[in-house]
Amino acid sequence: MKAEDDEEEHENSSICCAAIRKGHTAGQGLLRGLAFFCLRLCAWVWISGVVIWPAVLPLGFASRVALPKGGLSCALAWLVFGAYPLYLLGLAMLVIMSKWVLVGHYRAGALTIDSFAFLRWWTADRLVTFANELALGALRGGPIYFAYLRGLGLRARGYSRIDTRHVSEFDLITLGRRCVVAEGAKLRPAAAEAGLLYLRPL
């Protein structure tokens, strides 16, 4: 009788320990999910800031200097020939700087989608996509856009005409001389499969 009671007590304690471990694991998963949500929120704030900050000084100069001293025509001329090019230059420099700080060099391999490395990749990818869609689309197909992609890490043996906005994981892309990449083509070495992000040279 005593042996049966001891066995039942041991079984109950094992069930309690398993429940505690399960609850501890669930709590850790909840905290991890909350931490990743906060980090993604901070990433979106940074991405929005990168797109907005370069416009602050040129627009401030237009409203405080060009408009009061030169009138509307002078302010408009400044916005078209001064502010807009400065904005594009500042945006491109901030995007390039952010990519190198967040990711550095892209390397071939696999990333789990719940890892910090994947979050850094995601932030850099969203930033580049957002900037290309919102502001840098007018430069596609020209030498300035090519130089911008080279600054992000694209490898090329000479000048190439790139008309597409679908370019990412730049360090894994190598182009030959005088390549032409048409609009709509995708230079994306990353592919997601079964909970993993695979980065492969292209």
Side-chain angles (χ1 to χ4, degrees), residues 4 24 32-33 43-45 56 58-59 74 87 109 144 161-162 182 189 195:
E4 291 179 1
H24 183 66
R32 184 179 179 86
W44 273 118
V45 171
V56 173
L59 290 178
C74 181
Y87 168 73
I144 296 176
R161 179 185 172 91
I162 302 175

Side-chain angles (χ1 to χ4, degrees), residues 157-186:
R157 296 190 180 93
Y159 175 72
S160 296
R161 179 185 172 91
I162 302 175
D163 290 314
T164 182
R165 65 179 182 273
H166 304 293
V167 187
S168 62
E169 296 83 47
F170 312 92
D171 306 281
L172 299 175
I173 300 171
T174 303
L175 299 177
R177 287 188 175 89
R178 298 179 183 176
C179 290
V180 177
V181 183
E183 184 177 356
K186 293 184 178 182

Side-chain angles (χ1 to χ4, degrees), residues 76-126:
L76 290 175
W78 162 252
L79 288 174
V80 173
F81 299 108
Y84 184 60
L86 285 176
Y87 168 73
L88 293 180
L89 178 62
L91 175 63
M93 290 177 65
L94 278 176
V95 171
I96 292 170
M97 180 194 71
S98 298
K99 181 264 179 182
W100 288 107
V101 169
L102 285 168
V103 178
H105 283 281
Y106 287 103
R107 291 179 174 82
L111 308 175
T112 56
I113 61 173
D114 60 347
S115 65
F116 185 65
F118 177 84
L119 180 63
R120 291 187 289 116
W121 170 87
W122 176 86
T123 304
D125 184 69
R126 293 300 88 201

Side-chain angles (χ1 to χ4, degrees), residues 24-74:
H24 183 66
T25 304
Q28 283 184 332
L30 181 62
L31 287 176
R32 184 179 179 86
L34 183 61
F36 267 79
F37 172 78
C38 293
L39 287 173
R40 286 202 178 203
L41 187 61
C42 292
W44 273 118
V45 171
W46 174 255
I47 291 168
S48 303
V50 167
V51 174
I52 294 170
W53 292 331
V56 173
L57 287 178
L59 290 178
F61 182 85
S63 62
R64 295 176 185 173
V65 179
L67 185 61
K69 293 188 177 181
L72 183 60
S73 59
C74 181

